[in-house]
Amino acid sequence: EFRRVLFRSATAQAETITFRIQSDYQYKMQIAFYSQARNHVCPGPGQAYNIADDSVHEYPLSCRPGESICYGAWPEGNASKVWGVGPDNGNRCSQCCYTCGEGDITPVITLQ
């Protein structure tokens, strides 16, 4: 009984936020999502999701309530131009972060 209660309370802590990303940029893009509250990146350290078309792509991410998640994007193989926090969460931005628990899905974010 005790374990079951602990498990239930732990799962109640998890939330999901879905980033909706569209690229209008002329080259293939890479994107990653960075927690501002803990050392966590999605899809994983040194990895990124690829965007090779202009469709809206959805990225559902597990997060903690109140956690700020920021996107970082750059052209594939070239981080000289960046969107959001860029690769490795290296830049600051005012419009690229969303708070977990304040909406399940972001508006479409267009990279151009």
Side-chain angles (χ1 to χ4, degrees):
E1 181 67 36
F2 183 68
R3 285 184 185 175
R4 205 165 42 228
V5 171
L6 277 179
F7 181 73
R8 252 189 267 137
S9 65
T11 55
Q13 301 285 332
E15 298 260 346
T16 300
I17 186 167
T18 300
F19 278 79
R20 300 177 73 211
I21 308 288
Q22 179 181 31
S23 175
D24 280 346
Y25 196 63
Q26 60 188 355
Y27 301 112
K28 293 179 181 178
M29 300 287 293
Q30 293 193 294
I31 190 164
F33 302 92
Y34 302 92
S35 169
Q36 302 305 295
R38 56 192 169 116
N39 186 19
H40 187 74
V41 58
C42 226
Q47 300 176 341
Y49 296 106
N50 294 310
I51 302 175
D53 58 31
D54 62 357
S55 299
V56 175
H57 297 266
E58 294 190 351
Y59 302 92
L61 309 172
S62 294
C63 56
R64 296 176 180 168
E67 181 177 26
S68 179
I69 308 287
C70 305
Y71 69 85
W74 58 95
E76 185 178 44
N78 179 5
S80 62
K81 179 172 176 63
V82 301
W83 290 259
V85 295
D88 300 320
N89 198 25
N91 297 330
R92 293 291 155 241
C93 61
S94 58
Q95 303 288 320
C96 67
C97 301
Y98 294 84
T99 302
C100 181
E102 290 186 358
D104 295 335
I105 191 163
T106 69
V108 174
I109 300 160
T110 303
L111 309 172
Q112 44 190 350

